[in-house]
Amino acid sequence: MAVMTTRISAMWSPPVLFAHRGARANAVENTLEAFQLAKRLGATGSETDAWITRDGEVVLDHDGHARFFPRRWIAEVDRADLKAHIPTLDEYYEALGTELPLSIDIKNPEVFDAAVDVARRHGAVDRLWICHPDLDRLIDWRDRAPDCHLVNSTSLEKLPVSAEKRAAELAANRIEAVNLRHGEWTGGLTTLFHRFDVLCFGWDAQHERQIARLIDQGIDAVYGDYVDRLVAVEATFR
């Protein structure tokens, strides 16, 4: 791949390379092995989803099902009942350390306080990025946890207001970043959000051309399954 030069300035350079569910292209997703492999391959951030068990443990899994028959939610079972490969957030920090930014997608709002408490206990809350689509929910969380970072994960078609209005809302409520699927980003859009000091994250960037396009547009963080591709493409911009 030819060396490229970023045409639009990012707020973060180099961008954070978030390994989506760990190095899931090369290992079982959301396992300690996947997260450790991603770090070895050069990921500069980790991404996962968090749920809480019946006995109050924060665990890392994508869809929140305990994979029993009949299928039950993780919230309906104790930690000891889950498959052994599903780690707790405590186990993640114990195995990976705290230096990498950790992006957590929270679908069950009840997980938020517990996840933040775990991160605080490990001294990692300032590198915790909590993602959620609902702005009102994020505003509530900002008041409850001013020491963690918040990300509005959404899509342009779901915004009830213009992109400029949403950028202003995020800035006014101290929501630090917006996360859109890679194809929605343009250079004009990153420039717009950066004007309000809102970071721009792009997810589902799996191919080299998608990753390069995002970085060229001034993106601040990229989420992808292929850590080797993320690292290789980002290196061409240095």
Side-chain angles (χ1 to χ4, degrees):
M1 179 180 295
V3 175
M4 303 178 69
T5 302
T6 303
R7 293 193 297 268
I8 296 174
S9 296
M11 289 173 61
W12 283 351
S13 185
V16 174
L17 307 177
F18 281 113
H20 182 230
R21 307 183 206 169
R24 73 184 296 253
N26 306 101
V28 178
E29 67 179 44
N30 284 318
T31 61
L32 294 180
E33 291 76 16
F35 295 123
Q36 290 169 326
L37 176 58
K39 186 176 180 180
R40 291 198 300 272
L41 290 174
T44 54
S46 292
E47 187 276 345
T48 189
D49 306 81
W51 303 85
I52 193 163
T53 62
R54 183 169 56 190
D55 53 346
E57 288 283 351
V58 178
V59 297
L60 310 181
D61 183 72
H62 177 60
D63 60 13
H65 288 120
R67 293 173 179 81
F68 297 133
F69 184 80
R71 196 159 63 166
R72 300 168 68 189
W73 289 99
I74 283 175
E76 298 174 329
V77 300
D78 292 338
R79 167 70 178 98
D81 298 324
L82 296 176
K83 300 291 186 181
H85 72 272
I86 298 177
T88 66
L89 184 54
D90 274 306
E91 290 168 343
Y92 169 89
Y93 282 125
E94 289 162 5
L96 274 294
T98 61
E99 71 220 55
L100 295 184
L102 176 61
S103 174
I104 297 182
D105 192 6
I106 289 185
K107 301 179 180 73
N108 176 1
E110 294 180 8
V111 181
F112 177 78
D113 290 327
V116 171
D117 286 345
V118 173
R120 284 178 179 149
R121 192 162 63 245
H122 287 270
V125 72
D126 62 329
R127 292 174 296 286
L128 179 64
W129 294 80
I130 299 291
C131 302
H132 197 272
D134 185 76
L135 179 59
D136 290 336
R137 179 76 63 184
L138 289 167
I139 292 171
D140 175 59
W141 287 349
R142 169 51 68 226
D143 291 338
R144 284 158 52 182
D147 49 348
C148 77
H149 304 287
L150 299 177
V151 182
N152 185 201
S153 291
T154 185
S155 66
L156 295 179
E157 68 178 8
K158 291 181 179 178
L159 289 180
V161 295
S162 68
E164 184 171 18
K165 175 65 173 177
R166 176 49 53 97
E169 292 171 337
L170 296 177
N173 290 286
R174 295 171 293 125
I175 312 300
E176 292 99 326
V178 60
N179 189 20
L180 301 175
R181 194 168 186 270
H182 68 87
E184 294 195 284
W185 283 112
T186 66
L189 199 57
T190 57
T191 301
L192 168 64
F193 278 98
H194 286 160
R195 182 155 53 86
F196 289 87
D197 292 324
V198 175
L199 293 161
C200 301
F201 295 178
W203 65 275
D204 194 28
Q206 309 301 355
H207 302 288
E208 287 90 345
R209 67 182 183 279
Q210 296 167 343
I211 300 164
R213 179 173 172 271
L214 284 175
I215 298 175
D216 206 43
Q217 291 169 341
I219 209 74
D220 301 296
V222 186
Y223 296 79
D225 299 346
Y226 297 88
V227 176
D228 54 342
R229 296 176 186 176
L230 291 171
V231 172
V233 173
E234 190 280 319
T236 69
F237 286 81
R238 297 196 179 190

